[in-house]
Amino acid sequence: MTTIKHIASQAGVSVTTVSRALNGYSDVNAETRKKIEQVAKELNYSPNSLARSLVRNQSETLGLLVSGFNKESVKDGFTVEVMSGINSYIAETQYDLVLFNTDSSKQRKKTYTQLCRERRVDGVILQGIKTDDPYLKEVMDSNIPCVFIDIPVSSKHVGYVSTDNVEGARNAVLHLLELGHRNIGMINGHKQAFVSKERLEGYKLALQEYGISFKDQLVKDGSFGEEEAYRETMSLLKEQPDVTSVFCASDLMAIGAISAAKQLNYRVPEDLSVIGYDDIPLSSYISPSLTTISQDKFALGYNAAKMLVKMLKYQQPPEQCILKTELIIRSSTSATS
């Protein structure tokens, strides 16, 4: 097996020079570096990543910790698109990526730091953590570099990437208001989700702009699930028959809401307008096609991975990256009659 000693001998340089050249140190002459890389290529040199990680105290491995990654989350494609963005950026670097799933019960058995040390990761991207998850405080107290997705909290070791959920929800409800709707229901996610709080805030802001009082009875929690949103929409429409439109905090819940409306013989959008959030692939294929707030799921993951690598490789401080959203008007909303 070829070692750096073989490369040093053939290139006519020291072992230290070979080591520094192959590990990207800037104090190696460009011509010498090129020569070393050429010799390494000719000798089919493959670096011992384990030995290198022990010497540098870095594994060059990043962790992707996803809470609640289950069948329902795969159905809407949101998490998968975010993961695709993460993987796309990591593929451009020398880092490897490992996925580990978690939930609240697992978090009580093993601390965040224990998990990271066992998996030998240099830094972590976290998605799906709830406001009451044990790991949230542990992450903030840890010195392990981390980037949250859709969790707007930060520290000297923690950054985050999210979309402007308040503005996105505000624009969704303003769209309904501009169509003449005044009795607007909301199917939110759940109270332990940061995005649920922000989207509820956007809903309230839009109503306030039109001088409409917020009514708690017009808001139901659908837990980001299609079936739960179906049940909650059925309940909402039976309890509040004057509702003419519904803003759902995810497209998957909007699909459940449309099913509930049809079950109650509501025509969508003639009798009930429905708007979602996310712009998942299914939203353009259901009938009627879904008006929604589009967020770039791929960019969420890509920017999170980019931020973490910058923190690790260049010791840059964590950032707070907020991406814009876009209103996509399709067939599930219309003006009131």
Side-chain angles (χ1 to χ4, degrees), residues 9 22 41 55 76-77 83 111 119 173 214 217 318 332:
S9 176
L22 295 179
K41 184 177 180 180
V55 171
D76 69 11
M83 290 169 63
T111 70
R119 302 297 180 95
V173 180
F214 169 73
Q217 62 268 30
S332 65

Tab-separated table of all heavy atoms in Angstrom, residues 9 22 41 55 76-77 83 111 119 173 214 217 318 332:
chain	number	residue	atom	x	y	z
A	9	SER	N	9.584	10.115	-1.159
A	9	SER	CA	10.805	9.604	-1.794
A	9	SER	C	10.808	9.900	-3.290
A	9	SER	O	11.806	10.373	-3.848
A	9	SER	CB	10.916	8.096	-1.548
A	9	SER	OG	12.038	7.564	-2.224
A	22	LEU	N	-0.958	17.534	1.078
A	22	LEU	CA	-2.166	16.738	0.862
A	22	LEU	C	-3.304	17.124	1.801
A	22	LEU	O	-4.466	16.824	1.542
A	22	LEU	CB	-1.846	15.246	1.028
A	22	LEU	CG	-0.891	14.657	-0.015
A	22	LEU	CD1	-0.631	13.181	0.270
A	22	LEU	CD2	-1.440	14.825	-1.432
A	41	LYS	N	-1.167	10.734	-7.374
A	41	LYS	CA	-2.094	10.185	-8.361
A	41	LYS	C	-1.481	9.007	-9.096
A	41	LYS	O	-2.131	7.976	-9.307
A	41	LYS	CB	-2.509	11.277	-9.334
A	41	LYS	CG	-3.554	10.852	-10.354
A	41	LYS	CD	-3.951	12.024	-11.243
A	41	LYS	CE	-5.009	11.591	-12.262
A	41	LYS	NZ	-5.401	12.727	-13.145
A	55	VAL	N	-5.162	12.306	14.066
A	55	VAL	CA	-4.089	13.295	14.160
A	55	VAL	C	-4.673	14.700	14.265
A	55	VAL	O	-4.239	15.517	15.082
A	55	VAL	CB	-3.149	13.195	12.942
A	55	VAL	CG1	-2.165	14.357	12.926
A	55	VAL	CG2	-2.387	11.868	12.973
A	76	ASP	N	-45.029	13.982	2.386
A	76	ASP	CA	-45.099	15.324	1.801
A	76	ASP	C	-43.811	15.732	1.104
A	76	ASP	O	-43.773	16.749	0.407
A	76	ASP	CB	-45.518	16.363	2.843
A	76	ASP	CG	-44.467	16.616	3.917
A	76	ASP	OD1	-43.329	16.157	3.767
A	76	ASP	OD2	-44.800	17.288	4.910
A	77	GLY	N	-42.741	14.950	1.283
A	77	GLY	CA	-41.497	15.211	0.555
A	77	GLY	C	-40.674	16.360	1.100
A	77	GLY	O	-39.571	16.618	0.612
A	83	MET	N	-33.095	17.347	2.816
A	83	MET	CA	-31.946	16.442	2.873
A	83	MET	C	-31.182	16.436	1.545
A	83	MET	O	-29.953	16.336	1.525
A	83	MET	CB	-32.414	15.030	3.232
A	83	MET	CG	-32.895	14.906	4.665
A	83	MET	SD	-33.729	13.331	5.010
A	83	MET	CE	-32.394	12.168	4.719
A	111	THR	N	-27.691	11.695	25.895
A	111	THR	CA	-27.556	13.136	25.712
A	111	THR	C	-27.093	13.452	24.297
A	111	THR	O	-26.526	12.598	23.597
A	111	THR	CB	-26.557	13.739	26.702
A	111	THR	OG1	-25.235	13.307	26.370
A	111	THR	CG2	-26.892	13.349	28.135
A	119	ARG	N	-20.857	9.053	17.480
A	119	ARG	CA	-20.847	9.029	16.016
A	119	ARG	C	-19.640	9.769	15.427
A	119	ARG	O	-19.481	9.790	14.215
A	119	ARG	CB	-22.136	9.674	15.481
A	119	ARG	CG	-23.409	9.021	15.973
A	119	ARG	CD	-23.540	7.577	15.534
A	119	ARG	NE	-24.753	6.972	16.023
A	119	ARG	CZ	-25.893	6.897	15.350
A	119	ARG	NH1	-25.971	7.429	14.148
A	119	ARG	NH2	-26.943	6.313	15.870
A	173	VAL	N	-52.838	34.748	4.073
A	173	VAL	CA	-54.114	35.255	4.582
A	173	VAL	C	-54.514	36.541	3.864
A	173	VAL	O	-55.706	36.773	3.594
A	173	VAL	CB	-54.046	35.444	6.107
A	173	VAL	CG1	-55.370	35.963	6.644
A	173	VAL	CG2	-53.702	34.118	6.785
A	214	PHE	N	-59.043	38.742	15.993
A	214	PHE	CA	-58.645	37.332	16.031
A	214	PHE	C	-59.629	36.551	16.894
A	214	PHE	O	-59.998	36.974	17.989
A	214	PHE	CB	-57.234	37.200	16.598
A	214	PHE	CG	-56.839	35.786	16.913
A	214	PHE	CD1	-56.546	34.886	15.897
A	214	PHE	CD2	-56.772	35.349	18.231
A	214	PHE	CE1	-56.203	33.573	16.187
A	214	PHE	CE2	-56.421	34.044	18.533
A	214	PHE	CZ	-56.124	33.150	17.510
A	217	GLN	N	-61.406	30.437	18.334
A	217	GLN	CA	-62.211	29.286	17.929
A	217	GLN	C	-62.088	28.969	16.431
A	217	GLN	O	-62.543	27.921	15.979
A	217	GLN	CB	-63.682	29.478	18.304
A	217	GLN	CG	-64.380	30.662	17.633
A	217	GLN	CD	-64.315	31.928	18.467
A	217	GLN	OE1	-63.360	32.137	19.214
A	217	GLN	NE2	-65.354	32.758	18.361
A	318	PRO	N	-21.432	31.571	13.389
A	318	PRO	CA	-22.745	31.145	12.868
A	318	PRO	C	-23.566	32.345	12.421
A	318	PRO	O	-23.386	33.459	12.910
A	318	PRO	CB	-23.386	30.429	14.062
A	318	PRO	CG	-22.683	30.974	15.255
A	318	PRO	CD	-21.285	31.273	14.823
A	332	SER	N	-57.468	26.427	-5.909
A	332	SER	CA	-58.216	26.131	-4.686
A	332	SER	C	-58.715	27.371	-3.959
A	332	SER	O	-59.328	27.258	-2.891
A	332	SER	CB	-57.347	25.288	-3.734
A	332	SER	OG	-56.225	26.041	-3.290
